[in-house]
């Protein structure tokens, strides 16, 4: 657990599903290293293995072969309870489905990971108020998850994932249920926490989200086909997006 | 630009520079700032077509300025324009030509082309996002224009993905 160990290191990671018939390879030998503070977006068509890949990084799906190292520690050999501890201590996860605790208020859902992480109730409350405020949900704190729209639940799940200031934020389509205004709130918060040094690995097909990343990894058929930084655009800086938006003459 | 100028003149007579400023104010940073030369050329054509006329207004200590106003024929043309449905966007994509043709020449492989283009689109998206952040939240027109550009770019990226899946 050295200070300069990468936050994520996947080595020749493979996942083969076998449900009855033929084995179906979903992830076919992926190597990925993510340094502390990096923001990596994972893109690719559906069925390219991107969700399976981040689920393995979070221990929600077991690997068939290969290694996963998180924060300098071997993780793929952990038991389910070992993963549970690791997730509680190090990982915030935003799923496509939200997994909020139904009989707890929004506020309690968000504070819970921080409290489990050992911060004081006051700190947990302040962090929760900050996160819900940033996501435009301050007035929903006392609601129960069932009273929220899909988009609201998704934002609460993001607040919960960030409550503990985890070493790693993993997210699978975190804006999949959001309209453009709510997406804007989520982008702003991701930008802020990334600016504060949050390491982020997220799967998205939303180019607005991907364009926030330092690095984009593209998967196709379970393999990485591209991995690199988003370049500076070659256009003149947009004081005006005149080249992009053309009204007909 | 013809119709935008006619629309502005239907509101009130104006000289060329006022029209340029009005377009910039309404559409914000998302609109390609029209150059004044283009505006005068367009106004000249509209005048020739009988859609606008101009009068010289004398100014103290300055050269006369030409103020344009819309004619009845201009109003009619404007009305036709407003009422007819607008064309859908055309797919006229230079990248797609490259993608289909370049591998035949042995110049580049498709995977590399697609990957480079994806990164480029994401760089453009980042520019648009930053432009949106800088735009006055009260300027709904400019923000919607930027959002439109973002949605088109998203479609281009989705299409790129389809190309990568289906073109060997």
């Amino acid at each position: 657990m050295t200070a300069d160990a990468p936050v994520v290191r996947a080595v020749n990671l493979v996942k083969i599903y076998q449900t009855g018939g033929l084995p179906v390879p979903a992830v076919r030998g992926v190597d990925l290293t993510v340094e502390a503070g990096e923001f990596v977006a994972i893109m690719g068509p559906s069925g390219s293995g991107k969700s399976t890949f981040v689920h393995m990084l979070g221990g929600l799906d077991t690997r068939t072969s290969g290694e996963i190292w998180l924060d300098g520690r071997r993780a793929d050999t952990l038991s389910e309870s070992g993963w549970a501890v690791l997730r509680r201590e190090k990982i915030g996860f935003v799923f496509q489905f939200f997994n909020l605790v139904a009989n707890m208020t929004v506020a309690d859902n968000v504070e819970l990971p921080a409290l489990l992480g050992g911060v004081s109730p006051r700190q947990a409350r302040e962090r929760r108020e900050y996160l819900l405020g940033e996501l435009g949900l301050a007035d929903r704190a006392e609601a129960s998850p069932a009273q929220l729209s899909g988009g609201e639940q998704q934002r609460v799940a993001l607040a919960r994932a960030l409550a503990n200031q985890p070493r790693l934020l993993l997210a699978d389509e975190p804006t999949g249920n959001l309209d453009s205004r709510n997406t804007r709130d989520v982008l702003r918060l991701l930008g802020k926490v990334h600016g504060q040094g949050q390491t982020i690995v997220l799967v998205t097909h939303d180019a607005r989200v991907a364009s926030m990343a330092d690095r984009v990894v593209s998967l196709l058929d379970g393999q990485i086909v591209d991995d690199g930084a988003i370049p500076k655009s070659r256009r003149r800086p947009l004081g005006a997006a005149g080249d992009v938006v053309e009204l007909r003459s | 630009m013809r119709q935008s100028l006619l629309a502005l003149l239907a509101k009130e007579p104006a000289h060329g520079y006022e029209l340029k400023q009005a377009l910039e104010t309404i559409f914000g940073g998302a609109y390609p700032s029209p150059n004044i030369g283009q505006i005068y050329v367009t106004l000249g054509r509209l005048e020739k077509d009988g859609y606008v006329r101009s009068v010289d207004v004398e100014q103290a200590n300055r050269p006369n300025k030409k103020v344009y106003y819309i004619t009845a024929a201009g109003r009619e043309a404007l009305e036709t324009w407003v009422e007819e449905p607008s064309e859908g966007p055309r797919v006229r994509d230079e990248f797609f030509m490259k993608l289909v043709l370049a591998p035949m020449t042995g110049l580049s492989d498709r995977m590399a082309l697609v990957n480079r283009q994806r990164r480029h689109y994401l760089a453009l998206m980042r520019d648009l996002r930053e432009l949106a952040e800088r735009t006055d939240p009260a300027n709904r027109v400019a923000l919607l224009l930027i959002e439109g550009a973002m949605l088109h770019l998203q479609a281009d990226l989705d299409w790129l993905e389809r190309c990568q899946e289906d073109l060997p």
Side-chain angles (χ1 to χ4, degrees):
Chain A
M1 245 180 280
T2 52
D4 52 1
V7 174
V8 177
R9 194 159 73 89
V11 184
N12 199 15
L13 204 57
V14 172
K15 176 69 184 183
I16 297 169
Y17 285 109
Q18 185 147 29
T19 45
L22 288 172
V24 181
V27 174
R28 304 190 297 164
V30 166
D31 295 303
L32 182 75
T33 301
V34 180
E35 302 294 342
E38 263 194 299
F39 183 164
V40 177
I42 298 177
M43 302 190 84
S46 60
S48 60
K50 52 195 197 305
S51 286
T52 304
F53 178 61
V54 292
H55 281 201
M56 286 193 286
L57 292 184
L60 301 170
D61 214 338
T62 57
R63 54 118 179 72
T64 304
S65 67
E67 296 171 16
I68 299 167
W69 297 73
L70 293 175
D71 215 13
R73 225 173 101 193
R74 181 94 187 246
D76 57 275
T77 49
L78 290 173
S79 65
E80 224 167 280
S81 59
W83 267 111
V85 173
L86 182 66
R87 272 199 300 271
R88 200 173 67 208
E89 290 174 349
K90 307 248 182 199
I91 303 173
F93 208 128
V94 187
F95 308 91
Q96 265 175 306
F97 42 98
F98 318 115
N99 300 74
L100 299 174
V101 181
N103 58 6
M104 280 170 41
T105 63
V106 164
D108 289 344
N109 264 284
V110 176
E111 287 181 30
L112 184 63
L115 292 170
L116 289 174
V119 313
S120 73
R122 193 175 62 89
Q123 283 173 305
R125 195 187 65 238
E126 284 171 2
R127 179 79 177 155
R128 177 261 293 174
E129 284 169 351
Y130 167 74
L131 291 167
L132 290 183
E134 287 293 311
L135 293 169
L137 291 168
D139 57 341
R140 309 296 274 150
E142 296 313 315
S144 78
Q147 294 170 301
L148 304 182
S149 70
E152 286 171 328
Q153 292 188 48
Q154 190 161 39
R155 280 175 288 151
V156 173
L158 176 61
R160 180 187 55 182
L162 289 168
N164 212 8
Q165 295 175 278
R167 187 81 175 126
L168 172 64
L169 176 68
L170 290 173
D172 190 3
E173 299 286 5
T175 58
N177 293 277
L178 303 182
D179 62 25
S180 60
R181 176 175 313 167
N182 294 333
T183 296
R184 218 159 44 231
D185 289 341
V186 166
L187 293 181
R188 206 182 45 224
L189 180 59
L190 287 175
K192 273 190 188 168
V193 296
H194 177 47
Q196 292 156 9
Q198 177 69 55
T199 310
I200 303 172
V201 176
L202 60 76
V203 166
T204 188
H205 77 280
D206 186 331
R208 290 167 301 177
V209 182
S211 73
M212 311 250 337
D214 306 308
R215 206 173 127 198
V216 175
V217 170
S218 300
L219 287 180
L220 186 67
D221 292 332
Q223 290 179 308
I224 291 180
V225 293
D226 192 31
D227 179 352
I230 301 172
K232 294 245 175 299
S233 71
R234 285 169 292 165
R235 294 179 198 275
R236 63 188 157 74
L238 295 182
D243 303 315
V244 179
V245 182
E246 244 179 279
L247 302 190
R248 296 255 164 70
S249 56
Chain B
M1 195 182 319
R2 287 169 69 90
Q3 283 82 0
S4 348
L5 295 185
L6 277 182
L8 290 173
L9 290 175
K11 195 168 137 253
E12 59 191 343
H15 58 87
Y17 191 69
E18 284 170 335
L19 293 169
K20 172 179 157 70
Q21 281 180 317
L23 285 174
E24 283 169 356
T25 311
I26 294 168
F27 291 105
Y31 186 77
S33 182
N35 97 31
I36 190 71
Q38 264 173 295
I39 287 187
Y40 280 115
V41 169
T42 309
L43 285 170
R45 288 189 190 139
L46 288 169
E47 193 164 21
K48 208 175 99 223
D49 293 342
Y51 293 161
V52 304
R53 283 208 193 95
S54 60
V55 285
D56 278 331
V57 176
E58 278 183 45
Q59 296 193 106
N61 309 324
R62 286 196 206 172
N64 292 354
K65 88 183 164 180
K66 236 178 180 184
V67 172
Y68 291 84
Y69 62 95
I70 194 166
T71 64
R75 266 181 205 284
E76 213 170 286
L78 183 63
E79 223 165 90
T80 308
W81 176 63
V82 169
E83 278 169 12
E84 73 191 0
S86 303
E87 269 313 306
R90 288 159 296 182
V91 175
R92 180 194 49 185
D93 193 295
E94 188 192 345
F95 173 73
F96 190 67
M97 303 312 269
K98 276 191 213 173
L99 188 68
V100 172
L101 298 175
M104 297 178 188
T105 66
L107 284 174
S108 185
D109 71 280
R110 289 203 172 113
M111 192 67 88
L113 281 173
V114 167
N115 287 340
R116 203 177 313 134
Q117 192 67 16
R118 182 192 301 106
R119 293 190 195 190
H120 177 61
Y121 282 155
L122 290 172
L124 295 180
M125 185 60 97
R126 186 174 51 201
D127 290 349
L128 284 172
R129 219 174 17 75
E130 285 167 2
L131 178 63
E133 280 161 23
R134 285 200 305 275
T135 299
D136 175 5
N139 191 343
R140 306 307 308 160
V141 170
L143 285 172
L144 277 170
L145 199 47
I146 296 167
E147 190 175 337
M150 286 176 159
L151 288 167
H152 279 285
L153 205 47
Q154 179 73 53
D156 287 335
L157 269 155
D158 293 347
W159 190 29
L160 204 57
E161 214 159 67
R162 293 288 305 117
C163 292
Q164 196 160 33
E165 280 181 295
D166 275 22
L167 283 179

